[in-house]
Amino acid sequence: STQGVSSAASDVYKRQSVHDTPMPADTAQDAPAGHDIATALAAVRARITNAARRAGRDPSDITLVAVSKFHPRESVVAALRAGQMTFGENRVQEAADKFPPLRAQWPDLRLNILGGRQTNTAPVAVGIADMSESRDRAALCDAIARGADRVGRLPRLLVQVNTGDETQKSGVAVEDADAFITAAMARFGDAVAGLMCIPPVDQDPMPHFRTLAAMAGRHGLGVISCLLYTSPSPRDTERS
């Protein structure tokens, strides 16, 4: 839920799978398109709108990022036809195959590259992404800088903070985050757009969101991205 969303950030990103039901990787290629996706998107947008209004927020300040990993291009097209323009992928090569051919027909399409990744995929990610999330270590920042020099462009960047202190998840530790954010902003300037986190699946996400909002406010950053599990299984939304 986005109820109680802080007004400290101008943009709030809430992620949802292209389908609003669990979609195992081995069945994703058989996913239905069209009406089912449009219906799921309408339901999620209604929830976002209602939550934003309860929090005194303008729903247009909130961007829904549809996580399309494991789903074929046909499902992305169905979502685009339903008005969804921002997508999230964490498999860089899959994203590189899926999205560039769609940009000519849908120039407003936006691609977020999610999740921790090997540094050797950074040049490809930098070349195709509008936003690259989960910046959480110096080696990855180095790879992004090299990739940006190579391709001549730098996407917007989010620093991932491990607000739940979970060892199985990526992200800068809360106690180290301010120093890391300061260093990233010194290196990448305005390209550092904000912060992201993945709250523990069994906890109320709002304390984590508030921690992130306070941290973003200290650094004058306008984007907060929280991955929220809106289906029974986290497999649909959390990175592999």
Side-chain angles (χ1 to χ4, degrees), residues 9-176:
S10 60
D11 296 315
V12 179
Y13 283 70
K14 178 179 183 294
R15 300 200 195 101
Q16 168 70 24
S17 172
V18 168
H19 297 270
D20 200 24
T21 54
M23 184 62 60
D26 56 358
T27 62
Q29 296 301 314
D30 298 324
H35 176 75
D36 289 346
I37 289 175
T39 300
L41 283 168
V44 174
R45 288 172 184 146
R47 291 169 60 189
I48 292 173
T49 296
N50 291 336
R53 287 174 177 166
R54 289 195 301 269
R57 295 292 307 277
D58 184 344
S60 66
D61 287 344
I62 300 169
T63 298
L64 173 66
V65 181
V67 178
S68 51
K69 67 177 186 177
F70 301 137
H71 296 285
R73 188 182 300 168
E74 291 76 15
S75 292
V76 175
V77 168
L80 285 163
R81 287 174 176 162
Q84 176 63 31
M85 290 293 136
T86 304
F87 296 85
E89 292 272 347
N90 73 337
R91 297 191 170 192
V92 174
Q93 191 54 56
E94 179 181 339
D97 294 338
K98 190 184 300 181
F99 283 91
L102 300 175
R103 288 190 184 270
Q105 186 172 355
W106 285 281
D108 292 332
L109 185 156
R110 295 292 178 265
L111 174 62
N112 290 14
I113 296 295
L114 316 172
R117 67 189 57 84
Q118 298 298 317
T119 56
N120 60 1
T121 66
V124 178
V126 166
I128 63 173
D130 297 289
M131 178 174 282
S132 181
E133 305 194 20
S134 305
R135 307 306 99 234
D136 64 352
R137 59 192 189 274
L140 190 51
C141 289
D142 291 343
I144 288 171
R146 290 193 299 270
D149 288 342
R150 185 182 306 174
V151 302
R153 69 185 299 271
L154 180 64
R156 300 175 82 198
L157 306 173
L158 298 185
V159 172
Q160 181 173 351
V161 182
N162 189 348
T163 56
D165 193 26
E166 296 178 280
T167 58
Q168 77 276 19
K169 289 182 180 175
S170 300
V172 184
V174 171
E175 60 269 24
D176 299 327

